[in-house]
Amino acid sequence: TLYDLVIRNADVVTASERFACDIGVKDGSIVALGRDLAAGDREIDATGLLALPGGVDAHCHLDQPLPDGLKMADDFFTGTRAAVCGGTTTVIPFAAQEKGQSLQAAVDDYHRRAEGRAVADYAFHLIVSDPTPEVLERELPELIAAGYTSFKIYMTYDDLKLSDREILEVMDVARRHRALVMVHAENSDCIAWLTDKLTDEGHHAPKYHAVSRPAVAEREATHRAIAFSELVDVPILIVHVSGKDAIEQIEWAQRRGLNIYAETCPQYLYLTAEDLGGEDGYHGAKCVCSPPPRDTDSQKAVWNALKRGVFSVFSSDHAPFSYDDPQGKKPGGEEVSFEHIPNGIPGLETRLSLLFDGVNRGKLSLNKFVELTALNPAKLYGLYPRKGTIAIGADADIVLWDPERQVTIRNAALHHNVDYTPYENRTVHGWPMHCLSRGELLVENGRYLEPKVGRGRFLAAGKPQLLDL
Ligand code: URP
Ligand code: ZN
Ligand code: ZN
Ligand code: ZN
């Protein structure tokens, strides 16, 4: 037959259009969009549902090896299982270089972690923590050519951070080889100084994590990264922007015509520093991530900046640590001082529904939703047009989304391997009902169908496709 699968009566939404049609799928690709397509071997009726491009989560951490007995709760199986149950069909986690390690050794290690485990397709960003001459002159250019066209650098964390000089060197490689640098922008010395003051004064509760990483420390580093980008003349993307101070810097740069892209995450729309708790209790550790959530003014500024196009990408920054876990939020089984709580919160499965709730509340348009969650990340990270849209020739990565469905988020119903969600008991409007990856139905009526573990494929990324700002 002509089609392996026909999705009938789809209400297709892309970043720029909305149209009613049937979708014909053959050998994992979309081969027809039209009315009254011939019968497929299999048929799905999408009446009443939106057909959206599968989500692309361009920022998540899976199975990263960690020091001090810590361990991420999700590997490539449980992480991608959660992703597809949340409507995300492509993930871009990190292959992180340790200091002293070659980049190629890091890449090989992460491929071993992903292969035979992932159920969604995946690419990798590199994390460059040790930019030796060998890395800058040989390894990075070779890896860019081999399909690793984006890399994250850190301005904080002792085991990851680069000096200003090193940042300039890495940016210059990106300029010459047309790769995209992602920057974690927080000022390391400000944080270390504040942390020492706080702990000397006897402050240890999780809430002091946010006090030790104030918006000004993020603002300064954001501005510095922007200045370096201008100096080197290379586009960059600022990851996990938390609120209005950093947004002001980014808009200032964009008004000057600089190619400064930005990403934000669900935690900055839904959490505040208050979620880190008070003087007593440890539950706030569940919301410890960096940069920390700010205040309700910043939440408003983030929603507003999403709508106005200041942000190009909406990612989860899924960094999975269980709460009641000696390898997670209670290292060694102890309630530790704030500076020893592993940073990060889970979010792969809830990313899309949390943002879609804003569509229902008039905070952003449906097309903008698709742009932020699928199209733009696919373009910026070299996966478009195979990923990120519904079009002839694209992979049949399609989410059939019920825009009306009310779901109260409960960790017990999620598919990650983390023992909590920061969004427990929050009700969202809009939920992914069915999820297809390369034409294969992985989730039906919200039920995970247990596809073959390891079916997910590695995607060698092309060069970044820059967006107009
Ligand atoms: O707290 C966070 N976000 N942890 C994950 C690592 C990072 O910096 O993105
Ligand atoms: Zn980061
Ligand atoms: Zn991250
Ligand atoms: Zn202490």
Side-chain angles (χ1 to χ4, degrees):
T1 49
L2 217 43
Y3 308 118
D4 300 330
L5 167 72
V6 173
I7 301 171
R8 297 281 169 199
N9 309 310
D11 183 356
V12 177
V13 182
T14 69
S16 54
E17 291 180 288
R18 181 170 181 174
F19 50 89
C21 70
D22 301 336
I23 304 172
V25 175
K26 181 77 180 171
D27 297 330
S29 301
I30 298 170
V31 294
L33 295 167
R35 302 276 189 173
D36 304 317
L37 297 185
D41 293 343
R42 174 161 197 188
E43 303 250 333
I44 297 176
D45 182 14
T47 303
L49 303 174
L50 302 173
L52 310 176
V56 178
D57 195 334
H59 188 156
C60 56
H61 303 266
L62 298 175
D63 203 17
Q64 288 184 217
L66 297 165
D68 306 328
L70 296 175
K71 190 169 162 51
M72 287 191 172
D74 283 311
D75 69 1
F76 282 80
F77 169 51
T78 60
T80 54
R81 176 181 65 185
V84 299
C85 290
T88 288
T89 50
T90 303
V91 296
I92 316 180
F94 296 91
Q97 178 199 27
E98 286 171 27
K99 285 209 159 86
Q101 187 186 34
S102 80
L103 266 183
Q104 187 63 54
V107 167
D108 292 344
D109 179 31
Y110 280 85
H111 274 287
R112 280 191 294 271
R113 292 167 189 273
E115 227 172 88
R117 297 293 290 165
V119 294
D121 292 349
Y122 55 96
F124 284 114
H125 306 294
L126 307 174
I127 288 175
V128 180
S129 66
D130 199 357
T132 60
E134 171 71 4
V135 164
L136 294 168
E137 287 155 30
R138 193 183 64 78
E139 283 208 290
L140 259 183
E142 283 182 9
L143 284 165
I144 292 167
Y148 309 84
T149 56
S150 48
F151 25 95
K152 185 175 178 192
I153 58 172
Y154 286 80
M155 300 173 85
T156 189
Y157 293 128
D158 285 339
D159 48 347
L160 293 169
K161 73 177 180 204
L162 304 188
S163 68
D164 289 353
R165 171 67 186 249
E166 289 172 322
I167 294 172
L168 294 167
E169 306 275 15
V170 171
M171 284 185 181
D172 192 44
V173 174
R175 181 185 64 80
R176 285 185 280 119
H177 298 273
R178 290 203 299 122
L180 186 60
V181 180
M182 311 158 72
V183 184
H184 179 129
E186 288 184 293
N187 180 304
S188 178
D189 280 320
C190 292
I191 293 166
W193 177 72
L194 286 166
T195 300
D196 286 347
K197 268 171 67 101
L198 289 163
T199 56
D200 284 352
E201 288 163 11
H203 296 307
H204 297 289
K207 69 175 269 187
Y208 292 102
H209 171 78
V211 182
S212 74
R213 309 180 87 105
V216 59
E218 183 186 5
R219 185 182 76 206
E220 186 282 327
T222 301
H223 186 89
R224 186 157 32 104
I226 288 166
F228 294 173
S229 154
E230 181 175 357
L231 188 67
V232 176
D233 188 23
V234 67
I236 61 169
L237 183 140
I238 312 283
V239 293
H240 46 49
V241 173
S242 72
K244 65 178 188 315
D245 289 70
I247 289 171
E248 279 173 13
Q249 297 301 311
I250 291 159
E251 282 207 88
W252 171 86
Q254 291 174 346
R255 275 199 308 272
R256 285 166 67 91
L258 300 174
N259 273 325
I260 305 295
Y261 300 101
E263 169 202 77
T264 193
C265 317
Q267 46 270 40
Y268 307 118
L269 295 174
Y270 287 96
L271 305 179
T272 68
E274 304 216 331
D275 290 302
L276 273 64
E279 292 299 330
D280 303 308
Y282 194 69
H283 277 270
K286 292 177 179 175
C287 295
V288 164
C289 61
S290 294
R294 308 294 182 192
D295 57 11
T296 53
D297 266 6
S298 266
Q299 291 181 346
K300 288 197 191 93
V302 174
W303 278 113
N304 192 267
L306 282 167
K307 183 175 191 154
R308 287 182 296 121
V310 179
F311 290 113
S312 297
V313 180
F314 187 76
S315 309
S316 67
D317 194 11
H318 183 84
F321 295 101
S322 279
Y323 175 69
D324 215 348
D325 184 349
Q327 297 179 314
K329 294 288 186 177
K330 294 181 182 170
E334 306 282 336
E335 297 186 355
V336 296
S337 186
F338 68 89
E339 77 277 22
H340 301 303
I341 300 171
N343 285 194
I345 63 182
L348 260 170
E349 190 166 352
T350 45
R351 172 182 73 119
L352 294 176
S353 59
L354 287 168
L355 187 65
F356 194 92
D357 195 70
V359 174
N360 271 325
R361 287 184 285 129
K363 305 252 189 205
L364 74 169
S365 72
L366 208 42
N367 299 114
K368 196 74 189 167
F369 172 87
V370 173
E371 185 183 305
L372 288 161
T373 58
L375 182 73
N376 283 350
K379 283 187 169 172
L380 281 172
Y381 299 118
L383 304 177
Y384 179 82
R386 181 166 169 195
K387 305 295 190 187
T389 193
I390 293 180
I392 290 173
D395 282 358
D397 292 7
I398 298 166
V399 187
L400 299 177
W401 188 279
D402 184 344
E404 311 292 340
R405 192 179 182 85
Q406 275 196 43
V407 173
T408 300
I409 295 171
R410 309 232 195 258
N411 198 59
L414 298 179
H415 297 79
H416 60 197
N417 192 39
V418 184
D419 66 356
Y420 77 96
T421 167
Y423 310 108
E424 187 77 25
N425 291 329
R426 202 177 283 272
T427 298
V428 290
H429 291 72
W431 196 259
M433 299 307 295
H434 314 292
C435 182
L436 295 115
S437 162
R438 285 181 272 105
E440 182 181 354
L441 191 63
L442 306 184
V443 179
E444 185 174 33
N445 281 311
R447 197 169 61 87
Y448 182 65
L449 297 180
E450 303 191 10
K452 183 174 178 299
V453 177
R455 67 168 295 287
R457 291 187 192 154
F458 169 66
L459 305 162
K463 292 290 167 79
Q465 197 166 315
L466 298 183
L467 313 167
D468 290 330
L469 285 169

